[in-house]
């Protein structure tokens, strides 16, 4: 149909991020600003640039209609020898909470011809949002993603609305906050930390202690390069990839903190953590409440919890969507790489 732009009308170019022109970066930023379904920090040029600096070279698929850039998909070689043989993953690999093509609503694609045109034999992805199906991109193994769509009148109104929906949760959170104050002194909340480098260091330390405590050996921030990525993102001044380091203290002592990225009105709730010595007070919930109350003043209309379903994420969620995984290939080499990857998974399970 004339309203949809099929694959045949598009030219695909694969470029190293470091070779993008200013015009290409500007056109990419413009696509991100205009996007209704894919306005995510994880597909921003700023995120790709930080990943390129700390986690190795980033490649970008550029989708052209004539001279006009109509789509962008940032990728990276997979880690290890499969990557050397040509397998690609989303930019940032398992750090990344969203994957897909950033494009105009009318663009339609298919995985195999897309990879063939880009000269990529095999792609392994997670976190493909369900909205990507509108562009023809699908996967399997659906998993839940949860979000808090904030009341149009802001966080205070949202909290009062929650009281009518889940009185027990709201009352319990407020009670624990009062108890925390009574036993440890007044709370200080900063939506944006006044000592960001120091607080990020403390967050990473607490997060890694949590990974070890819970036997999560593959914890993202145990990898020094991933921790460096956060430090680099902390310096960003881009409204499409704005660092949010929020902290909750008692008498100067860090109780809970969260590092996320804001893209326009969406806050990606990315790395929340609390000091385990305060666990009896549910400090994660108290921090979330304060972020929620401050959201409107910082232009936040939605808090996105990423992939995964847990009671803690369910607590304040009012919207659910699906993420998909996939392993797609093109050509003989792609089929072989996909096969090796599947065998890897089977034998390491």
């Amino acid at each position: 149909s004339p309203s949809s732009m099929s694959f045949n009308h598009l030219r695909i170019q694969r470029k190293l991020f470091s070779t993008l022109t200013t015009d290409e970066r500007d056109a990419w930023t413009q696509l991100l600003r205009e996007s209704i379904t894919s306005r995510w920090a994880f597909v921003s040029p700023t995120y790709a640039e930080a990943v390129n600096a700390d986690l190795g070279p980033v490649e970008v698929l550029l989708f052209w209609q004539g001279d006009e850039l109509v789509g962008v998909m940032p990728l990276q070689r997979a880690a290890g020898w499969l990557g050397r043989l040509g397998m690609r993953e989303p930019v940032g690999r398992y750090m990344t909470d969203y994957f897909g093509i950033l494009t105009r609503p009318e663009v339609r694609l298919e995985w195999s011809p897309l990879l063939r045109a880009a000269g990529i034999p095999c792609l392994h992805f997670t976190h493909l949002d369900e909205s990507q199906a509108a562009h023809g991109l699908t996967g399997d193994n659906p998993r839940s993603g949860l979000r808090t769509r904030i009341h149009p009148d802001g966080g205070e109104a949202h909290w009062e609305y929650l009281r009518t929906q889940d009185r027990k949760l709201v009352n319990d959170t407020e009670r624990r906050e009062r108890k925390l104050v009574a036993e440890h002194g007044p709370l200080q909340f900063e939506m944006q930390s006044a000592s960001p480098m120091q607080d990020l260091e403390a967050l990473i330390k607490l997060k890694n202690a949590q990974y070890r405590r819970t036997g999560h050996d593959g914890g993202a921030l145990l990898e020094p390069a991933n921790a460096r990525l956060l430090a680099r993102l902390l310096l960003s001044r881009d409204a499409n990839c704005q660092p949010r380091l929020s902290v909750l203290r008692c008498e100067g002592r860090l109780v809970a903190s969260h590092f996320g990225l804001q893209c326009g009105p969406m806050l990606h709730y990315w790395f929340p953590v609390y000091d385990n010595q305060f666990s009896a007070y549910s400090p994660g919930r108290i921090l979330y409440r304060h972020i929620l109350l401050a959201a409107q003043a910082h232009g936040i209309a939605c808090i996105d919890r990423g992939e995964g379903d847990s009671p803690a994420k369910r607590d304040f969620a009012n919207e659910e969507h699906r993420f998909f995984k996939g392993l797609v290939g093109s050509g003989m080499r792609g089929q072989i790489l996909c096969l090796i990857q599947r065998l890897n998974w089977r034998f390491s399970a």
Side-chain angles (χ1 to χ4, degrees):
S1 72
S3 66
S4 79
M5 199 183 297
S6 80
F7 196 77
N8 313 337
H9 300 114
L10 298 178
R11 176 170 60 87
I12 295 191
Q13 184 185 17
R14 175 162 54 99
K15 284 184 86 166
L16 283 170
F17 179 85
S18 54
T19 66
L20 291 181
T21 66
T22 308
D23 285 351
E24 286 164 348
R25 276 194 66 155
D26 289 348
W28 178 352
T29 301
Q30 192 58 27
L31 279 172
L32 186 58
R33 256 202 306 267
E34 290 168 2
S35 177
I36 294 163
T37 55
S38 315
R39 195 157 180 206
W40 309 315
F42 300 101
V43 292
S44 68
T46 300
Y47 183 74
E49 183 173 35
V51 169
N52 190 66
D54 287 304
L55 305 183
V58 169
E59 294 176 324
V60 187
L61 303 188
L62 303 173
F63 298 76
W64 298 93
Q65 189 190 28
D67 299 337
E68 196 183 1
L69 186 69
V70 295
V72 178
M73 184 184 282
L75 300 170
Q76 235 180 336
R77 279 184 187 270
W81 60 277
L82 281 174
R84 290 198 285 279
L85 291 174
M87 187 161 123
R88 303 300 200 282
E89 287 183 327
V91 60
R93 304 191 181 110
Y94 60 92
M95 287 288 278
T96 296
D97 269 5
Y98 272 94
F99 171 62
I101 182 174
L102 173 66
T103 188
R104 302 269 175 81
E106 68 274 12
V107 170
R108 301 285 175 277
L109 303 161
E110 282 175 64
W111 281 124
S112 261
L114 185 163
L115 294 182
R116 199 160 46 245
I120 290 176
C122 177
L123 169 68
H124 167 237
F125 60 83
T126 58
H127 295 85
L128 180 78
D129 187 60
E130 62 183 21
S131 60
Q132 292 280 310
H135 303 299
L137 300 182
T138 55
D140 38 46
N141 289 68
R143 294 197 59 191
S144 284
L146 296 165
R147 295 191 273 243
T148 304
R149 186 75 56 185
I150 299 169
H151 192 287
D153 295 337
E156 296 276 358
H158 192 94
W159 191 251
E160 290 316 311
Y161 172 71
L162 262 179
R163 199 185 297 280
T164 68
Q165 300 302 298
D166 192 344
R167 177 177 290 274
K168 189 169 163 235
L169 173 71
V170 166
N171 289 352
D172 186 60
T173 305
E174 290 174 345
R175 182 183 61 78
R176 285 169 193 259
E177 183 169 332
R178 287 193 300 271
K179 193 170 189 299
L180 176 64
V181 170
E183 293 172 10
H184 295 278
L187 277 185
Q188 297 90 38
F189 167 73
E190 293 168 17
M191 185 67 167
Q192 194 68 19
S193 159
S195 44
M197 279 306 179
Q198 201 179 327
D199 283 334
L200 181 62
E201 210 171 300
L203 178 145
I204 290 167
K205 219 161 142 181
L206 283 173
K207 200 73 188 165
N208 287 340
Q210 180 200 329
Y211 291 143
R212 293 192 183 100
R213 198 171 59 244
T214 55
H216 191 47
D217 301 335
L221 302 182
L222 292 168
E223 180 61 58
N226 290 335
R228 283 197 300 275
L229 176 67
L230 296 197
R232 188 177 300 274
L233 288 165
L234 193 55
L235 306 173
S236 164
R237 295 290 169 264
D238 173 10
N240 290 309
C241 186
Q242 195 177 351
R244 282 270 171 235
L245 178 55
S246 304
V247 292
L248 192 65
R249 302 182 217 276
C250 251
E251 294 287 13
R253 186 169 164 200
L254 192 66
V255 174
S257 60
H258 165 254
F259 181 82
L261 296 172
Q262 186 177 342
C263 183
M266 180 179 285
L267 174 64
H268 296 284
Y269 214 73
W270 202 19
F271 286 103
V273 74
Y274 58 82
D275 184 332
N276 200 43
Q277 291 179 321
F278 294 98
S279 63
Y281 306 97
S282 299
R285 261 200 266 155
I286 298 172
L287 175 67
Y288 196 85
R289 167 177 135 82
H290 282 271
I291 290 174
L292 185 64
L293 296 180
Q296 194 178 34
H298 293 87
I300 297 164
C302 180
I303 302 175
D304 191 296
R305 302 300 297 256
E307 187 193 84
D309 194 343
S310 66
K313 288 186 181 188
R314 283 256 161 220
D315 274 346
F316 300 104
N318 56 13
E319 198 173 281
E320 191 168 351
H321 61 116
R322 295 268 176 263
F323 283 113
F324 295 88
K325 295 180 177 182
L327 183 62
V328 287
S330 81
M332 187 52 109
R333 184 155 144 235
Q335 283 172 10
I336 291 168
L337 285 174
C338 287
L339 177 68
I340 294 169
Q341 178 62 78
R342 285 197 180 94
L343 290 170
N344 267 357
W345 285 332
R346 182 170 300 168
F347 291 117
S348 62

